[in-house]
Amino acid sequence: MTVMTPEEFQAAYPQVIAWIQKTITAHRSGEKRVSEFGFPRLPFYVSTEFLENVSAVIVDRVPVPPLSKIGLRRFAEIEAVDHDGITYLDTYFIKRTRASDEALHFHELVHVAQWRALGPERFLRTYADGLERFGYRNSPLERMAYDAERRFSNSPEPFNLEQLVLSQLS
Ligand SMILES: [Zn+2]
């Protein structure tokens, strides 16, 4: 399979980012700051600024961009999956059944740090590229999130999430 060309990405990017902005705006009334969940461990891994400025939305089904409609049929399988969580910029969505799962919130916070570090365009390009080359679970940005989540779940010793992401991206 040939990978997505820079031209394909450039054509799709404005539509994807517009859909993301629209989706975040549409859910604004239902969003909560991460700090409002009162998770006991997160404050040891991320800054207060993070907890106060990142939002979470609890939903029945997490929203996924209409990638096929945008012309990215190669990502059709991502659309079909019932995801547990998904992160767009400083907002993440989590399925209602997993709303109190602190490790899943942590996983999504790794993606928030990635969005911030890379910026929207580079995040989406890197994410799409990793998805095509390695598949969902082994794409570099997901591997980073799953590895950090595992460390969060298996060890009581805190680490700085934002620093970890920055060092792994550099
Ligand atoms: Zn993830």
Side-chain angles (χ1 to χ4, degrees):
M1 189 176 80
T2 55
V3 296
M4 184 165 56
T5 63
E7 291 73 27
E8 275 181 277
F9 178 81
Q10 286 308 325
Y13 174 73
Q15 299 179 71
V16 175
I17 204 72
W19 178 90
I20 286 173
Q21 299 287 9
K22 201 180 76 189
T23 300
I24 291 173
T25 304
H27 288 85
R28 193 135 282 162
S29 64
E31 72 181 26
K32 282 167 81 174
R33 288 178 301 174
V34 180
S35 55
E36 292 178 69
F37 287 84
F39 286 119
R41 294 179 62 208
L42 292 182
F44 294 98
Y45 295 77
V46 296
S47 62
T48 308
E49 185 274 324
F50 226 74
L51 293 173
E52 293 291 330
N53 292 302
V54 176
S55 298
V57 188
I58 306 303
V59 287
D60 292 322
R61 191 177 169 94
V62 305
V64 181
L67 297 168
S68 311
K69 229 172 85 187
I70 289 169
L72 300 175
R73 268 175 299 279
R74 59 177 76 230
F75 297 115
E77 58 186 284
I78 285 288
E79 272 178 88
V81 175
D82 189 9
H83 301 270
D84 288 333
I86 205 159
T87 300
Y88 301 119
L89 301 159
D90 271 358
T91 300
Y92 61 83
F93 294 80
I94 280 184
K95 246 169 95 158
R96 200 170 304 285
T97 50
R98 302 285 303 276
S100 58
D101 185 337
E102 191 173 16
L104 180 59
H105 285 258
F106 182 85
H107 178 108
E108 301 309 326
L109 287 173
V110 175
H111 290 314
V112 171
Q114 293 169 341
W115 275 97
R116 285 185 173 190
L118 294 170
E121 187 167 344
R122 242 181 100 204
F123 175 92
L124 287 171
R125 193 155 26 87
T126 307
Y127 197 92
D129 184 67
L131 209 55
E132 282 196 302
R133 291 177 195 272
F134 307 104
Y136 166 76
R137 190 60 179 75
N138 287 312
S139 61
L141 294 178
E142 282 304 341
R143 274 225 335 249
M144 193 187 301
Y146 279 107
D147 287 351
E149 179 189 344
R150 194 178 319 115
R151 198 171 148 196
F152 177 84
S153 297
N154 294 345
S155 162
E157 187 146 346
F159 54 91
N160 185 302
L161 181 151
E162 292 150 276
Q163 270 170 24
L164 178 86
V165 167
L166 285 174
S167 71
Q168 291 192 350
L169 285 174
S170 65

